[in-house]
Amino acid sequence: MITSRQVRAARALLNWTQETLADEALVALTALKRLESANDLPVREDTRHQVVKALEAAGIVFFDSERGEGVMLVRGSPLKSRA
C-alpha cells in the first residue's frame, strides 16, 4: 500500500499540484487531501488505486524495501508538467 509521503513525493517529482493529480486520477480533491494527510485518514481503496494508476502513467515507480518506501521518476516517461 502506498503511503501519504509517497504520494506527496511523487507529486513533487512531477511538479503537479493537488488539483492536477486529482484531475488526472479522476478523484475528488477532498479525497486526495485525505490520502495525502499525515494523520492516516481513511481513504477508499478505489481512490488509492486511481491515484497510483495516474502517477504510474506519468512515469512514477513506487518501491518498498527493508530500508523504507520510496518513489522515483523513470526517465523517458511522458512527463506531464503542469503547475
Side-chain angles (χ1 to χ4, degrees), residues 10-81:
R11 208 167 40 76
L13 284 171
L14 294 168
N15 195 30
W16 282 6
T17 64
Q18 285 183 321
E19 291 81 4
T20 300
L21 178 53
D23 288 346
E24 292 290 327
L26 302 174
V27 300
L29 180 58
T30 55
L32 178 61
K33 287 183 178 188
R34 291 177 66 83
L35 177 60
E36 288 193 1
S37 168
N39 298 329
D40 292 323
L41 297 173
V43 178
R44 292 176 48 169
E45 198 54 42
D46 61 324
T47 298
R48 189 179 308 272
H49 175 74
Q50 286 298 110
V51 169
V52 168
K53 203 164 85 171
L55 291 169
E56 288 177 341
I60 294 294
V61 174
F62 294 94
F63 59 90
D64 188 7
S65 74
E66 62 279 351
R67 295 179 64 188
E69 304 88 19
V71 297
M72 70 178 180
L73 179 60
V74 177
R75 291 179 179 238
S77 64
L79 211 136
K80 298 178 184 176
S81 182

